[in-house]
Amino acid sequence: MQTIAITQGDSAGIGPEIVAKAFRDAAAELHGCFVVGDVASLRRAAQALVRPGMPGVPVAQISAPAQALKMPPRCVPVLQLPGIPGPQPWGQVSAAAGRAAADSVVWAARAALRGEVAAIVTAPLHKAALAAAGVGFAGHTELLQAEAAAYHGLALERMPVRMMLANAELRTVLVSIHVSLRAAIAALTFGQLLQTLQITHAALTRSLGHAPRIAVAGLNPHAGEGGLFGREELEVIAPAIAAARAQGMQVHGPFAPDTVFMRARSRPQQDGEFDVVIAMYHDQGLIPIKYLGLDRGVNVTLGLPLVRTSPDHGTAFDIAGKGVADAASLIEAVRMARKLCGAGA
């Protein structure tokens, strides 16, 4: 079994807490995983889980990823990073927590790029804390993209990536991510959409074992209604779909964004019409996934030369340190990472 690195996330949020809880509640599935970060932060999180009648969660420091394979069940192996800031006050934005979260991601990304770990699973970080730390990237996706590009000696634009949100019922890939709605509309170009279709087709062909059926959501209400509510569908989206089809992809649309996600949703004994929906901007794609349940969604970065997954929720400062955060999405992220490693995606 190969090892998987889990980054600790923002120590002021629920990241370390859900990591400790995942090792406690899903020991078999977390075997071979280890945490990249700070031992004291994980021990504080484990202490927050202590309840009468509940077993404690031991935290052990390791010096190499392979040691995680020898850890007893329910023990959290932590690779202590030198110089990393320790635990920060619960529920508060701090530069120190942002720096610790970023350092964990950078270490894990470089280890994955060198082939020292099979995949990385990233616990939630706080974008304001990241900015306070002077990290010049909006979030995980952008930071990982920069690390991968630098490792391969490429300009950033030569390492295009996309965010996919997935659960058992639905997958959606975003054309743009952490930008304003105005900027997202401006970013919707023929080239950007075609590239999104190419990245999605390649990644899902590997993970599914067959060419995916791709649906494309429109940008405007009713997918523009033939130009009545906007011309992006006619001038940008439809031409990109036609170009993707000419390259052999199974791409359909543009469809009205208020119904296409329902058409793609799979249910027991009933597959959806499509394997994935391409969403034109961040909230268009995330709302349907999160509506189906924050505890089941997984974030996957497509286009990277490494496997990266993440729970589909944030740092939840309001409940941090209370021991009540749900680790289900993190556990799902580990399951997804193992599946993608096995598929070679």
Side-chain angles (χ1 to χ4, degrees):
M1 176 184 290
Q2 294 177 297
T3 56
I4 292 177
I6 303 176
T7 63
Q8 71 172 26
D10 191 302
S11 64
I14 63 170
E17 185 179 331
I18 60 172
V19 170
K21 188 174 286 189
F23 275 92
R24 186 194 70 188
D25 296 344
E29 292 178 281
L30 272 288
H31 178 65
C33 296
F34 67 98
V35 183
V36 182
D38 172 61
V39 171
S41 295
L42 267 296
R43 285 182 174 153
R44 182 182 69 163
Q47 186 63 31
L49 303 181
V50 173
R51 297 288 187 277
M54 290 291 291
V57 185
V59 175
Q61 183 170 337
I62 61 173
S63 57
Q67 293 175 4
L69 297 169
K70 301 176 182 179
M71 287 290 111
R74 297 183 178 83
C75 180
V76 184
V78 181
L79 187 74
Q80 175 73 43
L81 297 185
I84 189 173
Q88 301 301 305
W90 296 118
Q92 297 181 24
V93 173
S94 77
R99 172 49 54 195
D103 288 350
S104 300
V105 174
V106 169
W107 188 96
R110 293 175 182 176
L113 290 164
R114 292 190 299 263
E116 296 169 3
V117 298
I120 64 175
V121 176
T122 56
L125 52 71
H126 198 287
K127 292 177 176 58
L130 211 62
V135 178
F137 302 99
H140 281 121
T141 304
E142 298 88 346
L143 182 54
L144 291 166
Q145 178 188 25
E147 284 296 322
Y151 182 83
H152 289 283
L154 298 174
L156 203 58
E157 61 269 16
R158 297 285 304 278
M159 184 64 67
V161 298
R162 294 296 185 272
M163 179 189 290
M164 179 174 78
L165 285 300
N167 58 32
E169 300 174 67
L170 183 65
R171 299 181 189 90
T172 182
V173 175
L174 313 180
V175 175
S176 60
I177 46 174
H178 303 124
V179 297
S180 71
L181 182 56
R182 190 182 302 276
I185 294 171
L188 178 57
T189 64
F190 172 88
Q192 186 81 347
L193 178 52
L194 180 59
Q195 188 176 72
T196 303
L197 292 167
Q198 292 166 335
I199 291 170
T200 303
H201 172 81
L204 289 187
T205 296
R206 290 194 298 271
S207 63
L208 296 176
H210 60 80
R213 301 163 299 161
I214 303 174
V216 179
L219 173 69
N220 299 297
H222 302 184
E225 197 75 77
L228 183 63
F229 303 140
R231 299 194 57 81
E232 286 85 358
E233 285 77 11
L234 297 175
E235 297 175 358
V236 177
I237 300 175
I241 290 173
R245 286 176 178 163
Q247 295 176 14
M249 300 178 221
Q250 297 182 41
V251 185
H252 310 274
F255 297 115
D258 59 352
T259 58
V260 66
F261 297 99
M262 292 184 284
R263 294 174 60 182
R265 182 184 178 189
S266 293
R267 297 172 177 81
Q269 288 81 50
Q270 182 182 346
D271 290 338
E273 289 183 50
F274 309 105
D275 296 304
V276 62
V277 178
I278 306 299
M280 296 299 104
Y281 55 92
H282 184 277
D283 286 10
Q284 186 187 61
L286 265 65
I287 289 171
I289 289 284
K290 292 189 175 184
Y291 179 78
L292 291 174
L294 280 172
D295 59 334
R296 295 179 293 151
V298 177
N299 179 354
V300 184
T301 304
L302 306 182
L304 289 173
L306 57 87
V307 172
R308 178 262 173 160
T309 66
S310 180
D312 182 24
H313 58 71
T315 51
F317 276 0
D318 57 323
I319 61 170
K322 298 179 181 178
V324 298
D326 192 339
S329 185
L330 180 72
I331 296 168
E332 288 295 330
V334 171
R335 289 175 181 149
M336 178 72 77
R338 291 203 189 281
K339 179 181 178 182
L340 293 174
C341 290

